[in-house]
Amino acid sequence: MKKIVLLLCAVLLTSSLFVGCGNDGNTENPGKDTQQAGTNEGIKADGFAFVYKGTDIIPNAKMEPIVTALGEPTKFFESDSCAFQGKDKVYTYGSVVINTYPDNNVDYVYTIELKDDTVQTKEGIYIGATLDEVKAKYGEPARDTGAALVYEKGTSNLNFGYADGVVTSIVYFAVVE
């Protein structure tokens, strides 16, 4: 049963990355120009932030300062975007995977996925935490899909996939509509 739930979570996560394939070409995202990841200057405080090696990573923030701060990723992949004009890019830093989207030749953070319990949210939630621990830190979610608790803040969402009352995935998402 756990394998089925984990497989469903993986399929949902993967399919959510391609939801925008039929967009109308409008990639404008209010507020992203004021965000500057990797420093505390200009960071818009209305979205979820993940901190990795002292670097703030926020959905919809520019990726360039993050790469500058973190250095070369352990893995890198790019492909033509089906939702935007340009290339989607995937940067892997150990147990953290950052997906980007292009807009006017600038890459912005689209998703931040925590892969295992060696990394945690700024609030201390990790894969393996209980849903009670999540709710104690974040309160009641905006939605509970039966497979994920979804929290909304500013121009980002934070999803905690779960099975049997335990967190199985953590993904930050940019809201780009």
Side-chain angles (χ1 to χ4, degrees), residues 1 6 27 68 89-90 98 136:
M1 182 66 178
L6 289 173
T27 59
T68 299
K89 298 174 183 166
V90 181
I98 304 168

Side-chain angles (χ1 to χ4, degrees), residues 58-87:
I58 303 171
N60 286 315
K62 291 179 181 178
M63 187 62 188
E64 182 181 355
I66 296 168
V67 172
T68 299
L70 297 179
E72 288 297 314
T74 53
K75 292 182 185 175
F76 175 80
F77 176 78
E78 67 180 4
S79 64
D80 291 332
S81 179
C82 65
F84 304 95
Q85 290 185 347
K87 301 261 186 203

